[in-house]
Amino acid sequence: MAKSSSLNIRVVEGRALPAKDVSGSSDPYCLVKVDDEVVARTATVWRSLSPFWGEEYTVHLPLDFHHLAFYVLDEDTVGHDDIIGKISLSRDAIVADPRGIDSWINLSRVDPDAEVQGEVRLAVQVQEDVRGRRLRCHVLQARDLAPRDISGTSDPFARVFWGSQSVETSTIKKTRFPYWDEVLELQETPGAPAPLRVELWDWDMVGKNDFLGMVEFSPQALRQKPPDGWFRLLPFPGAQEDAGGSLGALRLKVRLTEDRILPSPYYQPLMRLLVESVLRPSEEDVTSPLAILEELTLGDCRQDLATKLVKLFLGQGLAVPFLDYLTRREMARTADPNTLFRSNSLASKSMEQFMKLVGMRYLHEVLKPVISRVFEEKKYMELDPCKMDLGRARRISFKGTASEEQVRETSLGLLTGYLGPIVDAIVGSVGRCPPTMRLVFKQLHQGVGEYFPQAEHQDVRYLAISGFLFLRFFAPAVLTPKLFDVWDQHADPQTSRSLLLLAKAVQSIGNLGQQLGQGKELWMAPLHPFLLQSISRVRDFLDQLVDVEEGEEAGGSSRALVSPSATVREGYLLKRKEEPAGLATRFAFKKRYFWLSGESLSYSKSTEGQVVTRDGSGPLHTTYLQCKNLNDLNQWLSALRKASAPNQDKLSACHPGAFRSARWTCCLQTERSAPGCSRTHSAVTLGDWSDPLDPDAEMQTVYRQLLLGRDQLRMKVLEEPNVDATPEAGMGKGSCPAVGAQQRAAAAHLLEVLSDLDRAHEEFQLQEQGRSTLSHSRVP
């Protein structure tokens, strides 16, 4: 039975941040760290003291992680970025509420003595002789220490305390991976048993030494099991200082999910029930697993569940019937077709997540060229007279300040200049739309036509599709391209306003012009002729989109983390082969386009050039790869970890430096073949929309959600059938009791499946406890 642990993190926004620039503003971004390892970096929000990021991360973790930290920094073009503040959350604080954390949290000051990282390797023995007890502390090495010097390294030494005595190791210059291999001996002094404390410091010639971290062991630990191994460095004890809001605050959403995943066969009965409820739905479906899940979930939980369900049915090749089942359930409950799919129901959320999982590449192909132009050209556009800044628009006219009419006309020309290519790209994208998406829209088109066949509701068939495709897919991506990976930075205030105007126009086109001229935004009227002209083209596009032949869906469940032939990540990197002597100049790095799959890492000079790969023969060599920024680095590292997960031969340690001048620059070892000095971080990976399917983990989530409705299911089983039902209730005479009995039987069957999974979890847990007890009993 596998164990899994993941953090769902959303960095929402900040408020009241201090100004760090001479302009009276800041350019804030966030670093997210797990146990002092940077796992994510938000994009920078330019010129804002109340930034909105809205960035979400799913971080897959080792089970023994300790804390999560958020650092807010101000990006500077010249010099080092300024640290504004931090928020540190312990694992206990995150799990205290099963719903997680969703609140504003004040930033705290960053104390250098509390910013420690890395580990130290010790082997301790307590011996007795005629003079009394003696402690031998073998200080072997340390790794991943914090850089304290301007060179990006440190000059570490260790100081060992036991009782009233202390002794120090030698100082190793210019390294974050020191090797001491020194044995320090201390004699016990009279008095109560004392703890052992090992402190690491960075030696400075001028000024005081800098603290690097410490570990401490109680007298009981020294007596029962003397330390021997790697130990995580800790800061000096002390509470985190809340700045009282003077440094601002962040709104964060954090939820930890920890679970045990059973082997695949245990989930098959529940999977069969899910599939059966979709392929053979009953007339009064109130006790199927999907019906229960729909009643139980709300908010963020519903969105997470929708993602899991979509992945499950994609893996089974049944995404089309699954979404057809959910959308028809909602149609049956909807009296007014004008409100169809307007709420955040399970059907709506599932369609949203389905489009992201299946159609993200399609979205990028359609929108990225125009969105790139908007960011690069930075044109001023405004139609709302209340928001027009005639001073900013001065560049429009070289004869002085532009009038409102001039700004409006120029803005209208610019907006239509961007909207035209967007509409052209969308209506011309039928052939690029994934076939599975087209099949889903075809089923939706047919279902709406069956439920609302009246002549006055003919537009509803189009609105149902455009409501998803335009209002929940294209328009949000235009508004916030960073959140859809269309652009790698957040927009500045002016570009953000331009994107908002474009998103409103795309939304109006998606509404097929039904609300044009209504509401408070009458200043959008100059765009109406263009929008009305585009609507007829969009109708033709939707007709072509649903004109697709039925066929088999791509899918099929797989336990592999990454399909070997699938491209996990691609993009430009700078590469350089290792050179025996001398430092590499920046001209030694060459720009190449890389493809990473589960089988290989290959590259070429361009996206369409000849691919260069290694065939595995010949001597091994080291290649250095450079990313454009920290966020790009984290994403490539995460992709490499996913791709190499099935590789049983990957190294557990590595050298983060280079072998130069007959020694490693990281740990100063002189043997080229010396074991790596830094631990290979293979446990932390970032979740992504392109992640492959993991049906067992997804089924475990569904099982946990269904457990919340167990009492509701039991009530269904205990209910008496409705024997007083009349034929007018919806079916033939005497059929209602039969339907009630069928639903009760279905509920009883689902309860039985859940009980079987309960027993399986209990059995595996008892087996683990038995192995753990046996392991401890063998320790002398």
Side-chain angles (χ1 to χ4, degrees), residues 588-627:
F589 283 87
K590 297 179 180 179
K591 189 175 182 180
R592 296 290 184 263
Y593 197 87
F594 278 79
W595 290 268
L596 172 66
S597 73
E599 295 175 331
S600 65
L601 178 65
S602 54
Y603 63 89
S604 70
K605 289 185 178 180
S606 67
T607 57
E608 299 178 355
Q610 181 180 3
V611 175
V612 180
T613 58
R614 272 185 54 86
D615 59 6
S617 61
L620 295 174
H621 65 269
T622 303
T623 299
Y624 296 94
L625 302 177
Q626 183 175 320
C627 301

Side-chain angles (χ1 to χ4, degrees), residues 638-684:
S638 178
L640 282 166
R641 290 165 185 163
K642 292 174 186 176
S644 61
N647 180 9
Q648 300 299 319
D649 298 324
K650 60 180 179 287
L651 301 176
S652 60
C654 63
H655 287 287
F659 192 79
R660 192 174 65 245
S661 302
R663 67 176 184 177
W664 287 100
T665 57
C666 45
C667 57
L668 310 183
Q669 294 189 86
T670 56
E671 293 292 331
R672 186 182 183 87
S673 59
C677 57
S678 179
R679 181 165 53 93
T680 302
H681 297 279
S682 58
V684 179

Side-chain angles (χ1 to χ4, degrees), residues 269-278 285-296 305 309 325 346 699 702 705-706 713 746-747 749-750 753-754:
L270 182 55
M271 188 70 237
R272 284 194 291 269
L273 284 180
L274 287 170
V275 171
E276 186 178 348
S277 65
V278 166
D285 187 6
V286 293
T287 57
S288 72
L290 289 175
I292 296 295
L293 290 169
E294 192 169 18
E295 290 185 35
L296 290 173
L305 178 65
L309 289 171
Y325 165 85
L346 185 60
M699 283 302 302
V702 172
Q705 285 294 326
L706 285 171
L713 276 171
H749 187 194
L750 180 54
V753 169
L754 295 179

